[in-house]
Amino acid sequence: MKTVRFHRFGGPEVLRYEDVERPDPGAGEVRIRVAATSFNSVDAGIRAGLLRGPVPVRLPHTPGIDVAGTVDALGPGTADVAVGDHVVGFLPMTAAGAAAEYVIAPAETLTGVPRQLSLTDVAALPLVGLTAWQAVFDHGNLTAGQRVLIIGAEGTIGGYAVQLAKEARAHVLATASPHRTTWVTAVGADEVVDRTLTGVTERVDLVLDFTPLSAYRMNALVSLIRDGGTLVSTTAERPVPGDGKRGVRGVGLRVRGDTDQLADLVARVGTGELFLDVAHRVALADLPALHARAMTTPLPGKVVVLAPRPGR
């Protein structure tokens, strides 16, 4: 089968499009004929060797944490999934990824995909959708009537967070660059602040930060949060600040796999409650070029990576 792997850590040039043996599933595992994976910034961090502590991978390594495709084979003792099922999943970060024609996945990490949904586009959902869900609900504990400020709402995670917060009947205040203001409003934000012109001064119950911020700006956000509120950040390199005197919590989020949450997200896509944000689609052979592009130019949205048809 065709795959993209790196045999050493480094820049995008270490990625190779090559042939490898098709893997076989072990106990509790399935083999998936990949329809698509997607590009996430963590893929670049793993490739560069920047995450060898928290995400130790064995070389050569195939990237691609998100996967959507069709179950092709079952390992011993596999339950609740059958050959031919359309599935999507968030793969273990240390395991071989889905930038390939086939990938092995623990059956427990997968959830079904309704036949009316595009498998290739659903591949854009797992990591970013779960991150948004866990920020809004698991850590943010957002409820109806509360006010939430979403920093970086123009991004893929931020866009899903806006949609989920609005469905929870919260008041959504979002920051975005001018060219994405219309889109952020369209997916549900009640107010959009142009992040290039002004800061935010309104008091809120919850702040969700999806962009790298300086320590000064992070601390300034705490002052906007009402007593008992929360600041959640997905990008902080140091402990997220809070205010113990006022009961304001600071939470650094590291996404985890959760099939129940992913199933809920997929169901929302199926009913039209959640809009899948797919900006571009590229062929698997072009994944090294995509990594190179991401190093120099911010990608305008989520990029799905299409697996070749088996045997091609």
Side-chain angles (χ1 to χ4, degrees):
M1 70 173 187
K2 293 292 186 182
T3 186
V4 171
R5 301 193 299 177
F6 55 90
H7 296 250
R8 60 183 176 87
F9 298 111
E13 71 279 359
V14 303
L15 293 168
R16 300 180 186 176
Y17 185 57
E18 57 191 14
D19 292 297
V20 301
E21 290 295 322
R22 188 171 63 179
D24 292 317
E29 297 177 332
V30 304
R31 186 172 64 207
I32 300 170
R33 188 173 74 243
V34 178
T37 183
S38 72
F39 175 80
N40 294 289
S41 59
V42 69
D43 293 318
I46 293 171
R47 182 215 70 229
L50 302 176
L51 300 175
R52 276 179 279 187
V55 189
V57 299
R58 178 184 298 178
L59 299 179
H61 179 71
T62 301
I65 297 164
D66 297 327
V67 64
T70 305
V71 175
D72 170 76
L74 306 177
T78 304
D80 301 325
V81 65
V83 171
D85 284 354
H86 285 190
V87 294
V88 63
F90 178 72
L91 298 175
M93 288 191 183
T94 56
E101 289 183 75
Y102 294 88
V103 69
I104 300 300
E108 63 186 11
T109 65
L110 304 173
T111 191
V113 177
R115 292 280 171 166
Q116 74 268 22
L117 295 183
S118 164
L119 267 180
T120 56
D121 286 359
V122 170
L125 184 61
L127 185 146
V128 291
L130 288 171
T131 302
W133 177 283
Q134 290 164 22
V136 172
F137 299 119
D138 286 359
H139 298 290
N141 300 312
L142 190 66
T143 58
Q146 290 188 319
R147 298 175 66 85
V148 55
L149 168 61
I150 300 176
I151 308 292
E154 65 194 85
T156 308
I157 299 173
Y160 287 131
V162 168
Q163 295 180 69
L164 293 171
K166 195 58 187 175
E167 285 183 30
R169 302 190 303 280
H171 183 90
V172 180
L173 175 64
T175 70
S177 55
H179 72 282
R180 291 285 278 178
T181 296
T182 300
W183 182 84
V184 173
T185 301
V187 295
D190 296 289
E191 303 175 58
V192 181
V193 175
D194 182 347
R195 65 176 177 83
T196 67
L197 296 178
T198 184
V200 178
T201 58
E202 296 187 37
R203 301 278 283 178
V204 296
D205 301 285
L206 171 65
V207 174
L208 304 178
D209 165 44
F210 301 121
T211 63
L213 296 177
S214 66
Y216 173 80
R217 292 191 62 193
M218 191 79 73
N219 280 296
L221 288 175
V222 175
S223 66
L224 300 178
I225 301 173
R226 294 170 176 160
D227 294 359
T230 306
L231 166 60
V232 180
S233 176
T234 62
T235 62
E237 296 182 357
R238 56 182 62 85
V240 178
D243 186 338
K245 292 181 180 179
R246 298 194 297 113
V248 176
R249 298 184 302 127
V251 178
L253 187 156
R254 182 176 177 184
V255 65
R256 60 180 177 82
D258 189 304
T259 52
D260 289 337
Q261 292 175 1
L262 184 56
D264 188 282
L265 290 165
V266 171
R268 290 170 188 252
V269 174
T271 59
E273 299 171 76
L274 192 67
F275 171 73
L276 275 178
D277 181 20
V278 178
H280 295 287
R281 300 165 184 83
V282 302
L284 178 62
D286 295 327
L287 182 59
L290 178 62
H291 273 244
R293 180 185 173 195
M295 286 190 68
T296 59
T297 306
L299 298 177
K302 193 68 171 176
V303 180
V304 163
V305 181
L306 307 176
R309 293 183 181 181
R312 294 193 177 184

